[in-house]
């Protein structure tokens, strides 16, 4: 990755039917990076991707490719590769013809020679590990294979940027996991600047060099997977990136207390008074009543992915989930105390 800017999204705004989808949105995409756009439905992810591609146009702001203002360029002149969730392969064309489509569709003066197109298709089939599939048709392929072909077709035109819109959304869980690893391998081999949209936190954190978290048309945070997980800038980012427990707390002189008990969580400078403390399931431990920050009774206890997860009902109807690796199954109705051993605080 060079670190230079491949694409700059500058003060972008977009409204559909009086509903604002993007608000004064700015983001730099680095050359050669794999950037995930992560956020809930309606956060503006796909609209942003379509504007970068030239399939939609902003009401205000600019899209800059390198040093070129591409805001008003039609999609044909942007040199982007686009992969949709539902493949969008041509059913009547062979795999080879699907991959070559973007090259064959160019005007004659810009079209590579037939031998060059054949060579490029062969190289891409090798890259996506589907050599020998050139003469097959989409109906003869699995969902994962079709998505590989869709990616090869997008790469065939040697795009300035590859745009992926929920590329694995139509596939089952195991195929998704396999294709995640495969896409990362392809990216590492090609160095292609890539932006992909997802609402799957695990997918974004596993695949990307950086994650841009969107909410309600605004950029909440952009950073490496470790940065957004370990140093979220807002409760919105923290809650979207995984299960959280929300607790009323008091901040004073950098200390954070819950129910009068000191926690190990440090409050940011200047944050004083009532706050919200957020902890992950693994940032809670069972403790004796006099050392506990929270109290409740066990609702259920079950094992998943090698760890025990215990649901605890707290007073007021709130339920928290505790995750531990060394806790035996606990009986429903058992009174327990919980101690907070980590977390983040934000203003109420």
């Amino acid at each position: 990755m060079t670190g230079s800017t491949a694409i700059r999204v500058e003060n972008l705004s977009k409204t559909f039917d009086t509903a604002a989808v993007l608000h004064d949105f700015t983001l730099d995409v680095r050359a050669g990076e794999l950037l995930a756009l992560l956020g809930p439905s309606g956060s503006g992810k796909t609209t942003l991707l379509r504007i970068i591609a030239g399939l939609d146009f902003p009401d205000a702001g600019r899209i800059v490719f390198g040093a070129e203002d591409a805001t008003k360029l039609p999609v044909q002149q942007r040199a982007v590769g686009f992969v949709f969730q539902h493949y969008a392969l041509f059913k009547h064309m062979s795999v080879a013809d699907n991959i070559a489509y973007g090259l064959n569709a160019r005007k004659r003066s810009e079209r590579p020679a037939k031998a060059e197109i054949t060579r490029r298709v062969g190289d891409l089939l090798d890259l996506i590990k589907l050599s020998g599939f050139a003469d097959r048709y989409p109906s003869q392929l699995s969902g994962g294979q079709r998505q590989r072909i869709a990616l090869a077709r997008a790469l065939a035109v040697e795009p300035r940027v590859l745009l992926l819109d929920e590329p694995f959304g139509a596939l089952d869980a195991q195929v998704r996991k396999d294709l995640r690893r495969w896409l990362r391998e392809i990216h590492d081999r090609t160095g292609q600047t890539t932006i992909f949209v997802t609402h799957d936190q695990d997918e974004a954190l596993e695949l990307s060099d950086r994650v841009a978290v969107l909410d309600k048309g605004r950029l909440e945070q952009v950073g490496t997977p470790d940065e957004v997980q370990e140093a979220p800038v807002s409760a919105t980012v923290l809650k979207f990136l995984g299960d959280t427990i929300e607790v009323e707390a008091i901040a004073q002189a950098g200390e954070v207390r819950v129910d009068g008990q000191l926690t190990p969580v440090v409050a940011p400078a200047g944050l004083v008074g009532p706050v919200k403390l957020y902890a992950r399931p693994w940032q809670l431990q069972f403790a004796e009543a006099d050392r506990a920050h929270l109290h409740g009774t066990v609702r259920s206890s079950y094992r998943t992915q090698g760890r025990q997860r215990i649901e605890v009902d707290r007073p007021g109807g709130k339920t928290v989930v505790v995750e531990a690796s060394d806790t035996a199954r606990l009986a429903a109705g058992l009174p327990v105390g919980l101690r907070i051993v980590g977390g983040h605080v934000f203003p109420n």
Side-chain angles (χ1 to χ4, degrees), residues 44 54 172 181 235 318 340:
D172 65 47
R181 290 191 291 270
K318 294 182 178 179
I340 297 167

Side-chain angles (χ1 to χ4, degrees), residues 5-14 22-29 47-54 56-73 78 195:
T5 299
I7 300 172
R8 178 167 175 78
V9 178
E10 190 175 284
N11 303 121
L12 216 64
S13 294
K14 180 67 177 179
L22 293 170
H23 310 264
D24 197 26
F25 191 99
T26 295
L27 174 67
D28 287 336
V29 182
T47 296
L48 176 60
L49 206 69
R50 289 178 61 84
I51 289 174
I52 293 172
D56 276 323
F57 293 90
D59 300 327
R62 298 196 307 159
I63 299 291
V64 181
F65 286 5
E68 179 184 11
D69 187 339
T71 312
K72 295 183 179 179
L73 288 180
R78 297 202 185 193
I195 306 172

